Structures are given as C-alpha cells and as structure tokens.
Amino acid sequence: MFDKILLLGPITWHIPFLTGLLCIAGVYVFFVKRVAKINLTHPQVLLFLFGIGLLYVITGSPLAKFSHLSSSLHMTQMSILYFIVPPVILLGIPKHLFEFLWKTPWMKKICKLLLPSMIALITFAILFFMYHLPIVLTVLTKSNSLHNGYLSFLFVLSFGMWWPIAIPDPKQRLSNKQKKRYALMSGLILMPACVLFILNALFDGANNPLLAQATSNLCLPLQSGSGPVSLLPPPFNTKLDQLAAGIFMMGLHKIGLMITVKLGGKEANSHFAGAYLHKQISP
C-alpha cells in the first residue's frame, strides 16, 4: 500500500507556509508579553500555538496529501480545519490583546469587510456543500489557485461562523442559552453537507476528484466505471468510506462546539473571578 502512496510524489513540507505561521506566532508572542503581560505557559498562549501548529499539520504537512486518498480522510482534515482550528485560535487570544488590537485603525477596517456571523455561517454552509458536489470539486481541482482560494475563503468564513461563541472578549459572547440555540442552528445549517456523503453511500456512491487528480500521472488500472483503483485497501473509497465521511463531519463539528463552549466557559469564569477579586482588594 505505502509503495503506491509514495508514487504520488515526494513527501514534502510546505516551508513558505511554515515560515508565515512562525512569523504569526512570533508576533503573537511579542504582543502577548508586551500588551497582555502574561507568561508563555499561560493556557491561552498554549491554546493559540496549538491551533497554529494544528493548522500547519493538516494543511502544510504530508498529511494534507494523504487526505486526498479517501473521502473519510478528506472530511476529517476539512472538519479539523474549519471546526477545530478557528475556535481554538480565537480562544487563544487574550482579552487585553484583543482590546488593544480592536482599537487600531487597520483592525477596524478589516472588521468592516467581515460578514455578520449568521450570514457567514449560512454562506459557509452553502459553499461547503457546493465544494463537495463532484462537478464543482472537479472544476476546482483543475486550478490550484482557484482551489486554494476557495478553501482559504472558507477558512475566513469559518472564523465568522465561530465568532459569537469564541470571541476573545468573554463579555461579548453569547449567553449559555443563546450558545445552545446557535449550536443547534449551526448543526442544522451544516447538515446538508453531511447528508450528501451519507446519500452517496446509500446509493451508487461518487468518485473522488481529489484522488483522480492525485493519480492522474500514474499508470494505474481502471476499475469498472469508477476510475482508477484505490491506493488504500477497503473500506477506503467505498460506500462505507463515504458514510464514515458524513459521520466524521457531524462528530467533529459536535466536538468543536463542545470544546469551544467548555473552554470559553472556563475562560469567562476565570475572567469574572479575577475581576471580582481585583474589586475586593482594591482600596
């Protein structure tokens, strides 16, 4: 199996992307120490750096190429990218640093370009669903620039989608009741993309355009009417694989919501407890 996977090309690491992320991490550490004045071992700092590291692992490492080999691996990568990384990064920004950045003119200009959270959620859900339609994905894979631009736009939208429950300022987040309502709504809006994989599994299934692109330069035999043979053994690239893709997406979205609400709740409690303590000891 692995000798076939190696035929896809050299195992490479995206060094320019890594350099960019290291620069972002360096700027973050500088402002955390200069503005927020917290230690680098603080949970929020570790959370932000973990989010940056996870982003690189799933998009800039060889794992990104392996994720094209099956629907379930692909959906796991996409779900981590859009349902885990954005809220982790947002929750990793300290409140004082966020308030400092919020007052800067360039941040205000950027915020004017962002869509409202509900519109971002609906737009993300529509584009995410369309991305996994075979005909759309086939067109996108013909141009790396178009494909990467589409995925990057989805990544930007995902931050707007998570903003109401993961905004760095705990006081501006939705209440617990509103969070539950928003979580339910986001699950329903994203459901069609999950159902698409499940329906494909229940009926005739669908080809994997990403796999077709990855194997286009290989001399592999054809399966009857279904494109090149799979580089991975069953159950990959079968009906079970597509069923797993839909289930993994629903599961990771649920996990993302649970992690965000739990970590956000702890951070808010810590913030209000610190403010109360400061008020009690202040003269």
Side-chain angles (χ1 to χ4, degrees), residues 115-126:
L115 296 174
S117 298
M118 187 55 62
I119 296 179
L121 171 61
I122 295 174
T123 305
F124 175 88
I126 294 173

Side-chain angles (χ1 to χ4, degrees), residues 239-254:
K239 291 184 178 182
L240 181 59
D241 178 48
Q242 294 182 12
L243 178 62
I247 295 175
F248 287 169
M249 178 186 166
M250 287 189 291
L252 286 171
H253 180 251
K254 181 68 174 179

Side-chain angles (χ1 to χ4, degrees), residues 68-137:
H68 294 174
L69 300 178
S70 81
S71 297
S72 57
L73 293 177
H74 168 68
M75 279 313 303
T76 299
Q77 180 213 26
M78 296 283 283
S79 298
I80 294 175
L81 178 61
Y82 299 129
F83 303 149
I84 304 295
V85 171
V88 166
I89 290 178
L90 287 175
L91 291 174
I93 301 176
K95 176 178 179 291
H96 296 299
L97 176 57
F98 171 74
E99 291 176 340
F100 171 79
L101 295 175
W102 192 259
K103 296 176 182 178
T104 58
W106 59 271
M107 178 61 73
K108 293 180 179 179
K109 292 180 180 179
I110 293 177
C111 291
K112 289 181 180 180
L113 300 176
L114 299 178
L115 296 174
S117 298
M118 187 55 62
I119 296 179
L121 171 61
I122 295 174
T123 305
F124 175 88
I126 294 173
L127 294 179
F128 192 69
F129 174 80
M130 291 177 59
Y131 176 81
H132 290 100
L133 293 174
I135 186 173
V136 175
L137 189 52

Side-chain angles (χ1 to χ4, degrees), residues 114-165:
L114 299 178
L115 296 174
S117 298
M118 187 55 62
I119 296 179
L121 171 61
I122 295 174
T123 305
F124 175 88
I126 294 173
L127 294 179
F128 192 69
F129 174 80
M130 291 177 59
Y131 176 81
H132 290 100
L133 293 174
I135 186 173
V136 175
L137 189 52
T138 300
V139 172
L140 290 175
T141 53
K142 292 181 179 179
S143 170
N144 286 333
S145 299
L146 182 61
H147 189 204
N148 293 334
Y150 196 101
L151 294 179
S152 299
F153 184 57
L154 282 176
F155 188 62
V156 172
L157 286 175
S158 68
F159 278 90
M161 177 176 66
W162 287 101
W163 188 259
I165 59 178

Side-chain angles (χ1 to χ4, degrees), residues 12-13 69 75 105 136 149 204 209 246 258 282:
T12 59
W13 298 79
L69 300 178
M75 279 313 303
V136 175
D204 293 334
M258 292 174 59
S282 297

